[in-house]
Amino acid sequence: MAELSVITVGGKGSSLSSSSVYAVANGLAQLRIDSSALNRLPSSSSSPLNTHNLVSLLPSLPTIEESRASLVVLLSKLLSLSGSPNIRTVLPVKIAELLNSPDLKHESLDLNDEEALALEKLKLSSALYAICALLDHKSATLSTVSDAVAAISCEALKADVAAFNLIDSGDGHAAKEEIGVASDLKVLLNGSKLVGKVEIEAISRIPKIHASLREQVKSVRSKTRVELNSGGKLVCAGVVRTALLPLAAALWDLGDRSLSRAKMNVDGVGSENSRSSLVALFEQKCPSGESLRGGFKLVSQLVFEEEENYDNFAHEVNVLMGIVWKIVTWEAITAFMVLEGAELNGKKSEGSEVNGGENVKVEKKSEKKKKVVLGKGTSVIIQLIKDRLQGKGGNAVDSLGLLGNWVEELISFLDPKDPEFDSLLNRVKELVESNETRRLPKLPKGTRDFAKEQMAIRKKAFSIIEEVFERHGATTLDTPVFELRETLMGKYGEDSKLIYDLADQGGELLSLRYDLTVPFARYVAMNGITSFKRYQIAKVYRRDNPSKGRYREFYQCDFDIAGQYEKMGPDFEVIKILTELLDELDIGDYEIKLNHRKLLDGMLEICGVPPEKFRTICSSIDKLDKQSFEQIKKEMVEEKGLSVETVDKIGTFVKERGHPLELLFKLKQEGSSFLENNASIDALNDLEILFKALEKSKCIGNVTFDLSLARGLDYYTGVIYEAVFKGGAQVGSIGGGGRYDNLIGMFGTKQVPAVGVSLGIERVFNIMEQKGQNQTTRATKTEVLVSVLGDDLTQAAELASELWAAKVKAEYLVNKRVSKHFDRAKESRIPWMIIVGERELNEGVVRLKDIEAAEESIIPRSRIVEELQKRLSS
């Protein structure tokens, strides 16, 4: 028997871990008290002693494991009270002796009143947090083991594992644990030739279900770590409830899906005798779905119990944990049986049959056994199981008795208390972690990779955007991705802190561009241009905190008009362009909020805001789409020095929003405060011209006049606007812009008025993806697949080259297996196939197949290009 490890408690600066509690509770480790802790305790008591029955004072729980765990926690907490002069050395020593004995024999002990009171006080909290510690340790190991078992089931069921191809969205809002689970499973299944064939819901849900358990494991661990080492604190029911109830829900989900896969595995066992034997054992020993539901239902009911009964609640969560462990173990058994059962049976009587109790030699033709290629990780796990079963009845699994022995051995192997379990657990961890550098080179936060389907959507969207821009007479422009720092600074108000500065590379201080507008203004000023209608589609960079729909690197699609034009003409056109873009991109309902910077300044002046604070208060108002007015009010009063009266006045104005012409009419009525302010009068006159033009263009229905819109950038001088998606996806602003008459003059001697709009294309892509457009958009434009059945590359080269020369979009595949060709066409959604086999070559023809219509024609080889072009154009 292996020598037991020793766990020390009570040392200075030491802490108690869940793994230590589990080890001592299950007799896997001995416990000792640090001598320094004992030295802090008195050996005798000044108080009178009374004989107490330790059975009534120490925690007593439904299982030996839980009772022993609660004693470990109680001992640790008791030692933390060592400053008390009346808790003697004998009490913790006696508890340690009990824990190190084979069974818990409670004896009578003479205690003083303070010792008895301390035990009574710590009883409930020790019991609760002990069970939390057990659940912490078990759930962490279950999370690792269930991933490995699920990977084996993927191969046993020949399942499609496309759901594991998760990509980090880069916006800081990705389902991190889901991606982690999917990545771990991909590592274990790397190289497997069994997966990828059958779509199974219980497989595709693995990342989400297992990620939920991982999240709850972290939650339980963080709370348990604190409570185990919190001294003599009383139990907090809220901590236990918020930690264990979500864990129970995650366990229920995991057990439900694992049981579903186990049942499918049983059905997949090849040998009828093995299957019937396995079914008998499975039905007898594997927990049923009813027992799983009953366990979770009981936990759900007990959560409403009184605080003093919370040990029952925690115990039932531990019972539920045991049920799920058994189910996952049976999933492993059934998956292993599918993958290796035939091989084990084959060893029993290779080359012979049993007939009436005698072995009869059977003449068999030589059969070439098909090699099963498992994943690099799963093959190691399978071999570990086979090694464990070697010599334990693993070579004759048709017999119910022998199969039962084999099953019991596997159940023991997957029991965390088994001496070999830790080696299995560590091997699984090594398999995953050894691939860390190869499989997970991480993306910087706030950035994204785009798969082929996503790129197809992006190309389609960019094509629509360019067509709209060019329809309005714009020409394209490109500018450097970085600018002189002095060019960018002072243009973005409080957002200037988000500019990415580059390291000094030789005398120039440079920064990555924050937007496309300032570089455009710099270009116009540098080149002395007085009239320019341009568009630019390019990446910009912001040192922002990534969140849903917010990135650090993203595309902007800008359209700007610079120069002297009819009053409000350019403003009308850029807003019209914004509506055309959003309509033609087909994202769904949207709203364009619109305001005027001069009207906003007039409002602030009317409210009594000092002119020097206009810009900083605008930055605060600009946050109203993300925060409540009360939050903004606190910022404006406490941080920016406005009076409560002034802020309340602002509050009455920023609540005004509505149909453009109706709200404009209201603001221009006699007695309106705005009519007493010259800047506001100019703004209202501008907006009247704009709104009437938008009405005539039949796009005013998507526009809302909103006095809370501020747009925080410093360079705006006139109309400002922002587009917001009104569908289910919460993505924030999807576009915006405004008039900036003074920006170009900041770079030169001549003022050139300008107005522009910028489309937040990344957020638009998010909406398009959520609407499922990636499911209807092909990643390639391939029109035909040239399928050569055989290994003659020259045939494919000749025919494909003729198609390319005729400007037909074609791919080719050379393979002997017909299924490979059809799989390729189906996966890439290629509409046509030209099939060339030996028969077609001999007859001088090809087969032209219409995939969607499932129709096939025989075409002379010399006419195939002409015939295909005719069908593509029809």
Side-chain angles (χ1 to χ4, degrees):
M1 182 176 176
E3 186 176 345
L4 296 179
S5 60
V6 177
I7 291 170
T8 303
V9 295
K12 187 177 181 181
S14 65
S15 61
L16 186 63
S17 70
S18 296
S19 297
S20 297
V21 174
Y22 180 85
V24 176
N26 287 283
L28 303 175
Q30 289 277 296
L31 186 140
R32 66 178 288 271
I33 302 173
D34 190 271
S35 58
S36 65
L38 294 175
N39 291 337
R40 294 193 297 269
L41 297 172
S43 58
S44 60
S45 171
S46 59
S47 301
L49 301 178
N50 297 299
T51 301
H52 289 270
N53 186 345
L54 282 180
V55 173
S56 63
L57 293 176
L58 295 178
S60 180
L61 292 167
T63 68
I64 293 294
E65 177 193 52
E66 292 173 352
S67 295
R68 289 177 61 87
S70 64
L71 284 182
V72 177
V73 177
L74 184 142
L75 176 59
S76 176
K77 290 184 177 293
L78 194 64
L79 292 171
S80 71
L81 301 177
S82 58
S84 175
N86 288 318
I87 294 180
R88 299 167 298 147
T89 307
V90 64
L91 180 56
V93 168
K94 188 65 177 177
I95 295 173
E97 288 174 357
L98 285 172
L99 284 167
N100 289 332
S101 63
D103 50 12
L104 292 178
K105 270 191 177 179
H106 297 315
E107 302 173 359
S108 295
L109 186 66
D110 291 335
L111 302 175
N112 61 47
D113 290 340
E114 188 171 343
E115 289 170 335
L117 182 62
L119 290 178
E120 187 64 38
K121 180 182 176 183
L122 295 173
K123 189 175 178 179
L124 178 58
S125 62
S126 298
L128 270 174
Y129 297 131
I131 300 176
C132 286
L134 294 175
L135 288 167
D136 174 19
H137 178 81
K138 291 178 183 179
S139 60
T141 53
L142 175 63
S143 179
T144 300
V145 170
S146 62
D147 288 348
V149 171
I152 299 172
S153 280
C154 289
E155 294 181 309
L157 298 172
K158 296 181 172 59
D160 183 354
V161 292
F164 303 164
N165 296 324
L166 297 179
I167 298 174
D168 191 336
S169 64
D171 60 3
H173 205 79
K176 183 179 177 182
E177 297 300 342
E178 286 186 44
I179 293 171
V181 170
S183 298
D184 289 348
L185 288 168
K186 284 170 68 177
V187 168
L188 294 171
L189 292 167
N190 182 28
S192 174
K193 299 298 183 184
L194 291 179
V195 296
K197 299 174 178 64
V198 185
E199 291 185 11
I200 300 172
E201 194 262 352
I203 297 294
S204 63
R205 295 274 294 170
I206 288 172
K208 190 172 289 295
I209 298 295
H210 288 221
S212 177
L213 179 61
R214 287 192 182 189
E215 289 166 1
Q216 300 316 317
V217 166
K218 288 183 177 180
S219 174
V220 170
R221 173 145 297 176
S222 64
K223 291 181 173 68
T224 303
R225 185 187 294 118
V226 171
E227 299 301 335
L228 282 181
N229 299 284
S230 61
K233 273 177 57 178
L234 294 176
V235 66
C236 175
V239 170
V240 176
R241 181 171 56 246
T242 56
L244 297 192
L245 187 59
L247 174 64
L251 288 172
W252 185 86
D253 282 336
L254 182 80
D256 181 58
R257 301 295 168 170
S258 179
L259 184 60
S260 176
R261 293 191 294 271
K263 289 177 179 177
M264 287 187 279
N265 288 338
V266 170
D267 293 338
V269 173
S271 164
E272 186 175 340
N273 288 339
S274 296
R275 184 167 58 253
S276 61
S277 299
L278 188 61
V279 166
L281 285 169
F282 182 79
E283 292 178 348
Q284 177 187 349
K285 297 193 173 186
C286 180
S288 66
E290 186 176 344
S291 65
L292 178 64
R293 285 189 295 275
F296 180 63
K297 186 177 180 180
L298 183 56
V299 168
S300 304
Q301 292 169 344
L302 288 174
V303 77
F304 298 107
E305 288 286 312
E306 295 296 327
E307 188 172 294
E308 58 267 21
N309 296 324
Y310 253 50
D311 53 347
N312 292 331
F313 164 67
H315 165 71
E316 291 301 335
V317 178
N318 198 22
V319 171
L320 179 64
M321 170 69 75
I323 294 172
V324 175
W325 254 111
K326 288 179 183 176
I327 290 173
V328 171
T329 299
W330 271 98
E331 182 187 353
I333 292 168
T334 55
F336 179 79
M337 192 67 183
V338 172
L339 295 172
E340 297 295 329
E343 180 181 335
L344 294 173
N345 286 329
K347 291 178 180 177
K348 178 181 66 175
S349 54
E350 194 170 310
S352 65
E353 290 181 356
V354 178
N355 184 9
E358 297 182 4
N359 285 344
V360 181
K361 194 74 177 175
V362 179
E363 294 293 331
K364 291 188 177 181
K365 293 182 180 179
S366 173
E367 292 182 2
K368 185 178 179 182
K369 184 180 175 183
K370 187 177 180 181
K371 186 178 180 182
V372 176
V373 181
L374 301 176
K376 291 180 180 178
T378 50
S379 62
V380 173
I381 298 167
I382 291 292
Q383 189 59 50
L384 287 171
I385 296 174
K386 290 169 73 174
D387 292 345
R388 173 67 177 240
L389 295 176
Q390 191 173 12
K392 299 186 183 287
N395 289 345
V397 295
D398 282 346
S399 164
L400 182 58
L402 290 174
L403 178 60
N405 294 337
W406 176 76
V407 166
E408 289 300 324
E409 194 61 38
L410 254 182
I411 289 174
S412 176
F413 187 38
L414 292 175
D415 185 340
K417 294 187 288 291
D418 187 89
E420 295 181 29
F421 177 80
D422 280 350
S423 63
L424 170 66
L425 184 69
N426 292 333
R427 191 70 183 98
V428 173
K429 289 179 179 178
E430 286 171 11
L431 288 170
V432 173
E433 292 167 6
S434 64
N435 287 272
E436 189 73 26
T437 54
R438 199 152 39 87
R439 74 184 176 92
L440 283 178
K442 294 182 179 178
L443 278 171
K445 290 181 180 178
T447 62
R448 299 176 72 186
D449 286 328
F450 297 98
K452 57 185 181 180
E453 293 82 6
Q454 292 169 305
M455 285 305 299
I457 292 177
R458 294 169 81 84
K459 287 184 68 177
K460 175 184 175 183
F462 285 141
S463 175
I464 291 171
I465 293 165
E466 288 182 357
E467 197 281 326
V468 171
F469 287 163
E470 291 174 359
R471 186 191 305 157
H472 287 262
T475 56
T476 188
L477 173 70
D478 190 27
T479 56
V481 75
F482 52 85
E483 297 274 352
L484 289 172
R485 193 172 301 167
E486 64 189 48
T487 300
L488 303 181
M489 297 308 294
K491 313 300 190 302
Y492 304 106
E494 293 182 3
D495 284 347
S496 291
K497 63 188 178 186
L498 303 181
I499 293 173
Y500 268 109
D501 293 331
L502 302 179
D504 186 348
Q505 297 292 335
E508 285 187 325
L509 296 179
L510 306 173
S511 299
L512 295 178
R513 62 188 175 204
Y514 177 90
D515 65 5
L516 300 178
T517 305
V518 170
F520 167 66
R522 189 262 310 151
Y523 174 83
V524 172
M526 271 182 58
N527 292 277
I529 297 171
T530 57
S531 180
F532 190 18
K533 186 184 283 190
R534 84 89 171 84
Y535 75 87
Q536 184 174 359
I537 300 174
K539 288 183 177 180
V540 298
Y541 301 85
R542 297 184 183 178
R543 195 164 49 86
D544 209 344
N545 290 321
S547 59
K548 186 67 175 176
R550 186 181 294 273
Y551 304 96
R552 290 177 171 174
E553 177 194 62
F554 56 95
Y555 272 96
Q556 280 191 341
C557 303
D558 279 23
F559 181 101
D560 293 82
I561 302 174
Q564 296 287 349
Y565 293 88
E566 62 283 334
K567 193 173 185 62
M568 302 307 293
D571 307 74
F572 153 73
E573 187 169 8
V574 293
I575 296 171
K576 175 62 176 172
I577 287 171
L578 182 56
T579 64
E580 290 178 7
L581 288 173
L582 298 176
D583 287 340
E584 295 185 31
L585 289 169
D586 192 27
I587 64 167
D589 290 340
Y590 64 89
E591 173 188 54
I592 299 175
K593 297 189 290 186
L594 187 147
N595 200 0
H596 198 294
R597 205 58 179 267
K598 289 182 180 180
L599 192 64
L600 194 60
D601 289 350
M603 178 190 79
L604 296 178
E605 185 178 333
I606 292 165
C607 293
V609 177
E612 65 272 14
K613 291 188 176 182
F614 281 8
R615 295 288 76 86
T616 185
I617 296 303
C618 280
S619 294
S620 295
I621 294 172
D622 192 43
K623 300 173 186 175
L624 278 171
D625 61 334
K626 307 177 190 72
Q627 301 178 25
S628 69
F629 183 75
E630 288 304 314
Q631 291 173 298
I632 301 304
K633 178 179 179 178
K634 184 177 180 182
E635 177 182 308
M636 289 191 286
V637 172
E638 296 181 5
E639 297 178 24
K640 300 188 176 179
L642 293 187
S643 67
V644 173
E645 182 183 3
T646 298
V647 175
D648 287 339
K649 287 182 181 178
I650 293 173
T652 61
F653 282 110
V654 297
K655 292 174 184 175
E656 294 281 3
R657 71 189 308 271
H659 185 278
L661 287 171
E662 291 175 4
L663 182 54
L664 179 69
F665 177 76
K666 177 182 176 180
L667 298 181
K668 293 187 74 172
Q669 278 188 326
E670 188 175 345
S672 169
S673 303
F674 287 112
L675 298 181
E676 299 171 8
N677 183 281
N678 291 332
S680 298
I681 293 172
D682 290 343
L684 292 172
N685 291 335
D686 287 348
L687 291 174
E688 184 173 5
I689 297 170
L690 175 63
F691 291 159
K692 288 180 177 178
L694 291 173
E695 185 180 38
K696 288 294 184 182
S697 70
K698 295 182 175 56
C699 66
I700 200 168
N702 293 109
V703 178
T704 299
F705 189 5
D706 189 338
L707 294 189
S708 71
L709 181 67
R711 302 286 293 172
L713 302 182
D714 276 3
Y715 53 66
Y716 288 126
T717 59
V719 173
I720 50 176
Y721 29 86
E722 185 171 276
V724 179
F725 179 59
K726 294 174 67 177
Q730 299 298 312
V731 296
S733 169
I734 54 175
R739 175 162 286 280
Y740 51 98
D741 287 346
N742 301 327
L743 180 60
I744 295 173
M746 295 172 71
F747 298 108
T749 58
K750 190 172 183 179
Q751 289 288 4
V752 180
V755 64
V757 63
S758 179
L759 183 67
I761 192 63
E762 301 295 347
R763 294 178 178 180
V764 170
F765 288 146
N766 283 346
I767 296 167
M768 295 171 75
E769 287 172 15
Q770 289 178 36
K771 289 186 67 179
Q773 291 196 25
N774 57 329
Q775 297 172 9
T776 58
T777 303
R778 286 179 56 201
T780 71
K781 297 182 179 180
T782 305
E783 297 168 309
V784 62
L785 175 67
V786 176
S787 297
V788 175
L789 306 179
D791 54 11
D792 190 351
L793 174 62
T794 61
Q795 293 296 327
E798 181 182 30
L799 182 48
S801 295
E802 291 177 21
L803 292 167
W804 293 330
K807 309 304 181 192
V808 174
K809 299 177 181 68
E811 297 180 48
Y812 65 84
L813 178 63
V814 180
N815 196 292
K816 294 178 181 179
R817 295 175 59 186
V818 177
S819 61
K820 289 285 185 181
H821 295 271
F822 285 101
D823 288 347
R824 172 73 170 276
K826 181 181 177 182
E827 288 168 9
S828 300
R829 290 150 69 181
I830 301 172
W832 293 90
M833 290 177 67
I834 298 176
I835 304 170
V836 184
E838 186 176 351
R839 178 181 174 182
E840 286 77 19
L841 284 173
N842 293 334
E843 296 178 3
V845 298
V846 297
R847 283 185 286 151
L848 180 60
K849 186 173 184 67
D850 182 336
I851 301 295
E852 186 176 350
E855 295 177 352
E856 196 171 278
S857 306
I858 304 297
I859 309 293
R861 169 65 181 83
S862 59
R863 293 186 51 242
I864 183 57
V865 175
E866 176 188 350
E867 184 63 29
L868 180 61
Q869 285 180 314
K870 187 186 300 181
R871 300 198 185 194
L872 289 174
S873 61
S874 62

